[in-house]
Each structure stands twice: as C-alpha cells, then as structure tokens.
C-alpha cells in the first residue's frame, strides 16, 4: 500500500495570510468612504432636481415660487432616523415671486467626521454642495 501525502497549510500560516488580508483591507477602506459619500449625495442631487421641476411648474401656474414642499406636491422619503431609507432632509429655505432656494441636509454623517453633507439648488437650477462630507 502506498501512502499519498497531501500538502496543506498549517493553522499558523492561515492566520498570517488572514492578518495580511485584514491589513490590506484596512489600508484600502479610507479610499472607499469618499465613494460611499458620493453615492449617497446622488440622492440629494436627484431630489433637488425634482424640487426644481416642481417649483417651475408651480411658478408657471401661480406666477411665484412656493415656500411649502407640500404645495408643490413633493413627497420626501421617510428618513433613516425614522425607520425609512431617506438620508437627506429637504426644505425650501426661501421663496419669493422671482426666486427660491431649496436645501438638502444629510441626517447621516457618512464619513464620521462630524460634518453633515448639505446641497442647495436655486431657481436657475444652480446645484451646489454647501458642506462637503
């Protein structure tokens, strides 16, 4: 009878490989937090674009911009702080017969630095990031 020898890794070798993989992941993780934050900010940008469209429709009907999200028929997603999946709170900061400013403020600190992402849009569809995260 012939015995067959199989090569295998020892437990110590496996632990060393896992430790190296863990270190590599920890080194790469900070690079991905920016991507995650950018992905979340798309919610704010898209919803502000919708608010802009609704404000324009309201303006063409009433010859002024509205101060109320309900008046323009904008429905916010339920926030994650309330058990939903929305990560931004939306508001009309100011509105006049000729202009408006809408704001999206994050309710989640995406990168844990204490800053909450804020985006704004105006009647000219100028979209800008006021507070980066």
């Amino acid at each position: 009878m012939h015995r067959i020898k199989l090569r295998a890794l020892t437990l110590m070798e496996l632990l060393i490989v896992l430790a190296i993989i863990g270190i590599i992941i920890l080194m790469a993780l900070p690079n991905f937090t920016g991507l995650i934050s950018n992905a979340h900010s798309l919610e704010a940008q898209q919803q502000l674009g919708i608010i802009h469209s609704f404000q324009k429709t309201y303006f063409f009907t009433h010859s002024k911009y509205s101060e109320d999200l309900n008046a323009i028929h904008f429905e916010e997603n339920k926030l994650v702080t309330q058990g939903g999946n929305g990560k931004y709170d939306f508001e009309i900061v100011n509105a006049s017969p000729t202009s408006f400013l809408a704001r999206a403020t994050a309710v989640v600190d995406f990168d844990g630095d204490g800053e909450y992402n804020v985006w704004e849009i105006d009647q000219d569809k100028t979209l800008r990031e006021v507070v980066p995260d």
Side-chain angles (χ1 to χ4, degrees), residues 2-8:
H2 293 287
R3 288 193 170 200
I4 299 174
K5 281 191 171 185
L6 297 175
R7 278 197 72 193

Side-chain angles (χ1 to χ4, degrees), residues 5 8-9 11 31 41 59 61 79 90-91 93 105 107 114-115:
K5 281 191 171 185
L9 296 174
L11 181 59
N31 295 333
S41 71
F59 177 82
T61 305
L79 298 173
F90 297 92
E91 65 180 322
V93 178
T105 305
V107 296
E115 296 282 328

Side-chain angles (χ1 to χ4, degrees), residues 15-82:
L15 289 175
I16 290 171
V17 169
L18 289 175
I20 291 170
I21 291 171
I23 290 169
I24 291 171
I25 289 172
L26 287 174
M27 288 175 17
L29 193 59
N31 295 333
F32 291 120
T33 57
L35 293 174
I36 293 168
S37 179
N38 288 342
H40 288 306
S41 71
L42 289 176
E43 175 190 349
Q45 295 170 43
Q46 290 175 342
Q47 295 294 341
L48 285 172
I50 292 170
I51 289 172
H52 178 269
S53 297
F54 287 176
Q55 279 283 37
K56 284 297 185 182
T57 301
Y58 187 89
F59 177 82
F60 292 136
T61 305
H62 302 335
S63 298
K64 65 178 181 174
Y65 292 106
S66 175
E67 295 178 348
D68 183 14
L69 289 174
N70 292 325
I72 62 172
H73 306 293
F74 177 76
E75 293 183 25
E76 268 188 87
N77 290 331
K78 194 173 186 181
L79 298 173
V80 293
T81 55
Q82 302 165 338

